[in-house]
Amino acid sequence: MNRFFREIVAADFDALWAIEPRAYQFPWSQQILRDCLNARYPAWLMHDAEGTVMGYAFLSVGAGEAHLLNLAVAPEFQNRGVGRALLAYVLQKGEQMGLERMFLEVRPSNHAAINLYDEAGFNEIGRRPGYYPAPNGTREEAIVMAREYLGP
């Protein structure tokens, strides 16, 4: 499968919104997605040779650190290495930006994502109680993970 990457622009909203509510049980709202686009957070998408968006990622960057805000893969492309390739690309871009570390949160129930982040060198550094919405109005904690950039 051919994979191509490019920066996200505001005109990508519809393609991203076509994925977001299908990729997550509790997706970002349209307003959060628009706000991230309008703020011009560093963000990239991965598409195939036909231009079909397979996944995307948003970062928040400051003071030599980044927070991986969202990494989403369209359900039809999950379990095909798309998330792994997209994360590797985002980590490479972070290295090019001279980042010292990257943080993220992940649900303890999302075993596939935890494995992906573990394999990419992220380590658990803490927990955030009641961080994520969960079924029946409950809340799920978040595992906070970080990855250090080793530098030259």
Side-chain angles (χ1 to χ4, degrees), residues 63-144:
E65 299 178 340
H67 185 165
L68 180 60
L69 300 173
N70 192 347
L71 190 147
V73 176
E76 61 272 25
F77 293 107
Q78 291 177 3
N79 302 309
R80 295 171 60 185
V82 171
R84 181 169 279 102
L86 183 56
L87 180 59
Y89 185 80
V90 169
L91 290 170
Q92 176 186 6
K93 296 305 268 183
E95 187 172 9
Q96 291 170 359
M97 286 186 248
L99 296 178
E100 295 174 19
R101 71 193 51 80
M102 187 176 293
F103 299 96
L104 60 84
E105 291 90 14
V106 62
R107 291 175 183 269
S109 61
N110 191 343
H111 302 290
I114 293 167
N115 289 336
L116 173 67
Y117 298 136
D118 279 340
E119 290 173 10
F122 285 86
N123 296 297
E124 181 176 339
I125 61 167
R127 302 266 175 146
R128 296 188 200 280
Y131 187 81
Y132 289 110
N136 303 319
T138 61
R139 307 288 296 180
E140 183 176 5
E141 74 177 349
I143 298 172
V144 181

